């Protein structure tokens, strides 16, 4: 009785498996908590090529109702179709989720390290920016002082030009004064000479007048 029930169950399972399309998928997974055999042919009498553990990923080459031809690594063989499923088993999904979680943790750690590094670089940049602002302020002050110095230099240059012009005017006035002094000395010299000549002429004239008077008196 038990053998009949078991055989009937196998027939039902095989019938359900036969309802799937022959080329509906290209990947299959071994069901959980099971280790199946890969054989060289479609039957239990064929040689066992290798054992396939639960969750192993297989490449489907040819799907049949009872047996499916698959590839696992470099090996090719046949396994029973009822032991294959389209999605990874719970154990495989859990392992994959654990791997993803570990990878995410590593990435999170790397991101945390990068964040700490960026924060450190930001502090360095902020300090450098503060120093640059201070340098910019000092340079602005120096430029302002330099501008004031240039303005003073221009004013000094203008004053020097004015001084030179004034010196030239003074020299011109000095030369003009010297010329006027020379003229005045010449005028005084001429006036003095005229006075002397006039005095001499006056003396001669007075002498002649006196001599004539004496001559007149002598005639009397």
């Amino acid at each position: 009785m038990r053998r009949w029930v078991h055989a009937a169950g196998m027939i039902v399972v095989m019938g359900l498996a036969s309802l799937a399309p022959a080329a509906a998928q290209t990947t299959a997974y071994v069901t959980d908590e099971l280790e199946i055999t890969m054989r060289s042919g479609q039957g239990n009498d064929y040689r066992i090529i290798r054992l396939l553990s639960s969750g192993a990923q297989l490449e489907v080459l040819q799907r049949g109702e009872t047996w499916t031809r698959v590839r696992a690594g470099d090996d090719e063989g046949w396994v029973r179709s009822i032991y294959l499923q389209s999605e990874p088993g719970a154990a495989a999904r859990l392992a994959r989720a654990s791997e993803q979680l570990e990878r995410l943790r590593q990435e999170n750690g790397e991101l945390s390290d990068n964040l700490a590094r960026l924060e450190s670089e930001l502090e360095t940049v902020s300090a450098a920016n503060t120093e640059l602002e201070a340098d910019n302020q000092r340079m602005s002050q120096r430029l302002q002082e330099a501008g004031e110095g240039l303005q003073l230099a221009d004013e000094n240059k203008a004053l020097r030009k004015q001084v030179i012009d004034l010196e030239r005017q003074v020299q011109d006035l000095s030369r003009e004064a010297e010329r006027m002094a020379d003229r005045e000395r010449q005028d005084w010299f001429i006036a003095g000479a005229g006075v002397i000549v006039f005095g001499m002429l006056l003396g001669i004239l007075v002498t002649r007048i006196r001599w004539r008077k004496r001559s007149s008196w002598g005639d009397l």
Side-chain angles (χ1 to χ4, degrees):
M1 183 67 178
R2 290 181 180 177
R3 291 180 180 178
W4 183 85
V5 172
H6 180 71
M10 291 293 293
I11 293 172
V12 171
V13 171
M14 291 172 62
L16 292 175
S18 63
L19 294 177
Q25 64 183 32
T26 58
T27 303
Y29 299 88
V30 177
T31 57
D32 290 334
E33 299 180 359
L34 185 67
E35 189 176 52
I36 64 175
T37 57
M38 175 189 290
R39 296 182 178 274
S40 59
Q42 302 182 45
N44 294 329
D45 297 335
Y46 288 90
R47 177 177 58 87
I48 297 175
I49 298 175
R50 60 181 295 182
L51 296 177
L52 301 174
S53 59
S54 175
Q57 182 176 347
L58 307 175
E59 180 181 358
V60 177
L61 302 177
Q62 180 182 350
R63 182 176 291 277
E65 294 181 357
T66 306
W67 293 86
T68 298
R69 185 166 174 261
V70 297
R71 178 186 291 120
D74 296 332
D75 298 328
E76 295 183 6
W78 296 85
V79 296
R80 285 189 174 273
S81 300
I82 59 173
Y83 297 142
L84 301 178
Q85 59 186 22
S86 59
E87 297 293 334
R93 291 196 300 270
L94 179 60
R96 185 175 300 176
S98 299
E99 292 177 358
Q100 292 179 353
L101 178 61
E102 183 64 23
R103 185 173 65 254
L104 291 175
R105 286 177 179 175
Q106 292 178 357
E107 292 178 355
N108 188 23
E110 293 176 357
L111 291 175
S112 298
D113 294 339
N114 291 332
L115 179 60
R117 179 175 55 81
L118 291 175
E119 289 177 351
S120 178
E121 291 178 356
L122 179 60
E123 292 178 356
T124 303
V125 170
S126 298
N129 188 22
T130 303
E131 186 176 356
L132 288 175
E133 289 179 354
D135 291 339
N136 188 17
Q137 186 175 1
R138 287 194 295 269
M139 290 298 296
S140 299
Q141 185 176 359
R142 289 182 180 178
L143 287 174
Q144 183 177 0
E145 293 175 353
E148 293 176 355
L150 290 175
Q151 183 177 0
L152 291 174
D154 294 337
E155 293 178 356
N156 190 14
K157 185 177 180 180
L159 290 175
R160 288 182 180 178
K161 184 178 180 181
Q162 292 179 3
V163 169
I164 292 173
D165 293 337
L166 290 174
E167 288 179 352
R168 289 177 179 175
Q169 292 179 6
V170 168
Q171 291 176 0
D172 294 338
L173 292 174
S174 297
R175 286 192 293 268
E176 184 67 24
E178 289 178 358
R179 287 194 297 270
M180 292 179 66
D182 292 338
R183 287 181 181 179
E184 186 176 358
R185 283 194 296 270
Q186 290 176 2
D187 293 340
W188 279 105
F189 178 76
I190 293 171
V195 171
I196 294 171
V197 171
F198 180 74
M200 290 175 64
L201 292 173
L202 184 61
I204 294 170
L205 182 60
V206 171
T207 301
R208 287 183 178 181
I209 292 173
R210 287 178 181 177
W211 182 76
R212 286 180 183 179
K213 287 181 178 182
R214 289 178 182 176
S215 297
S216 307
W217 291 344
D219 293 336
L220 296 175

